[in-house]
Amino acid sequence: MKRTRISPDLQGFPSEFHPLLERSAVFDSSCSQAAQVFLLESGGGFYLKSAPTGALETEAAMTRYFHEKGLGAEVLCYLSEERDWLLTRRIPGEDCVFPKYLEDPKRLCDTLAPLLRQLHDTDFTGCPVPDRCKTYRATAERNHLAGRYDLGLFPGGWGFSSPEEAWQEVQENGKYLKADTLLHGDYCLPNILLDDWNFSGFIDLDSGGVGDRHIDLFWGVWTLFFNLKTNAYYDRFLDAYGRDRVEMEMLRTVAAFEVFG
């Protein structure tokens, strides 16, 4: 996770955060254009995230829910004004793109797969997003109609030769997605924190909720392919997760959805 020391202009932040900003070393830790993320090094550390109005509402709710289960950061404040602001307490450790973890890919794979199985076995009573499949289908439909798609995300046999081929897969098998499992929704290495190989917590939970386990499984094997630059850990990950809970055709269906994700 990159960190660049900055001197923040307090006028660009809500007054509620000024005392904390004034006593903290502040680092820009943003990794996308969709949101700004600041690390505030004071009292154990905090993360302050900013995005367009309404963009962090679901993330705030899901982060609170995961924290209640011992799986995520503590939410200290969520504000929705001219922009959204989310303040969370820092989780110990580093994300899984930290060199220590990437340098031991077998151990990393064997750590993340059982961790995902444990998440999927977690009771989801009271989850604030009770049917992620509904929004998942709606997003694919919207992007398909708008002509927005990406055929270049996927390794090996999940590649689709055209958006039409991917959309046919969505239409034929998308109805079989089940909202029966607690999901992270974006189960990728930068969103999983370990402290010396011990699980610390999940971050970036805006795509989480109750949905189909194959969404997380897809991203689990994809992130190892993408971050390790090899598809060598595909079978190892699924074996470590447990093949008894994997339907290979549903992984391809999720890949088709993600063409329009």
Side-chain angles (χ1 to χ4, degrees):
M1 187 179 296
K2 73 173 186 176
R3 297 166 186 149
T4 304
R5 181 74 180 265
I6 63 170
S7 298
D9 179 2
L10 294 184
Q11 297 306 310
F13 296 81
S15 60
E16 289 87 343
F17 304 126
H18 289 184
L20 181 57
L21 288 162
E22 288 171 343
R23 68 174 183 265
S24 300
V26 181
F27 298 81
D28 188 332
S29 188
S30 306
C31 59
S32 77
Q33 296 180 347
Q36 290 180 292
V37 180
F38 304 97
L39 169 62
L40 314 180
E41 286 198 339
S42 174
F46 307 86
Y47 277 100
L48 181 59
K49 191 170 187 176
S50 176
T53 303
L56 300 180
E57 181 178 4
T58 299
E59 181 172 349
M62 286 301 301
T63 302
R64 287 192 183 100
Y65 183 74
F66 269 55
H67 177 69
E68 291 171 0
K69 295 183 173 294
L71 300 172
E74 180 183 3
V75 175
L76 301 174
C77 183
Y78 167 62
L79 295 178
S80 187
E81 300 174 337
E82 291 84 3
R83 288 180 64 80
D84 271 14
W85 297 87
L86 178 62
L87 179 69
T88 58
R89 198 175 299 278
R90 184 180 185 180
I91 299 173
E94 299 286 348
D95 64 39
C96 290
V97 294
F98 193 63
K100 173 180 179 176
Y101 304 128
L102 292 180
E103 289 166 3
D104 195 346
K106 291 182 179 178
R107 186 176 182 183
L108 181 61
C109 176
D110 294 349
T111 298
L112 298 188
L115 180 60
L116 182 59
R117 179 66 178 256
Q118 291 170 25
L119 171 62
H120 288 173
D121 287 340
T122 301
D123 176 56
F124 54 77
T125 301
C127 181
V129 182
D131 189 353
R132 174 56 70 183
C133 291
K134 182 178 180 180
T135 56
Y136 194 65
R137 293 186 182 100
T139 297
E141 176 78 24
R142 184 171 60 252
N143 287 337
H144 173 253
L145 291 173
R148 292 192 293 267
Y149 59 87
D150 183 355
L151 295 171
L153 281 175
F154 314 112
W158 285 341
F160 293 94
S161 61
S162 68
E164 291 78 18
E165 182 187 357
W167 188 245
Q168 182 178 354
E169 175 71 24
V170 169
Q171 289 181 305
E172 290 180 355
N173 293 313
K175 59 182 176 290
Y176 297 119
L177 292 175
K178 300 175 183 177
D180 62 0
T181 303
L182 182 60
L183 302 184
H184 181 287
D186 189 11
Y187 195 75
C188 294
L189 269 60
N191 298 333
I192 307 160
L193 273 68
L194 303 177
D195 188 8
D196 193 23
W197 292 102
N198 296 305
F199 173 66
S200 281
F202 298 117
I203 60 172
D204 290 346
L205 293 159
D206 57 298
S207 296
V210 181
D212 193 295
R213 69 181 61 247
H214 295 88
I215 296 172
D216 277 350
L217 282 165
F218 169 82
W219 287 112
V221 294
W222 181 87
T223 193
L224 293 172
F225 160 77
F226 179 80
N227 291 106
L228 298 176
K229 311 304 180 187
T230 175
N231 207 24
Y233 299 96
Y234 172 90
D235 286 315
R236 188 184 184 104
F237 183 89
L238 296 179
D239 288 341
Y241 176 87
R243 294 277 185 166
D244 60 308
R245 304 299 295 275
V246 181
E247 298 177 42
M248 299 307 296
E249 179 57 35
M250 290 309 298
L251 284 175
R252 179 171 170 79
T253 299
V254 169
F257 270 94
E258 292 298 344
V259 167
F260 306 98

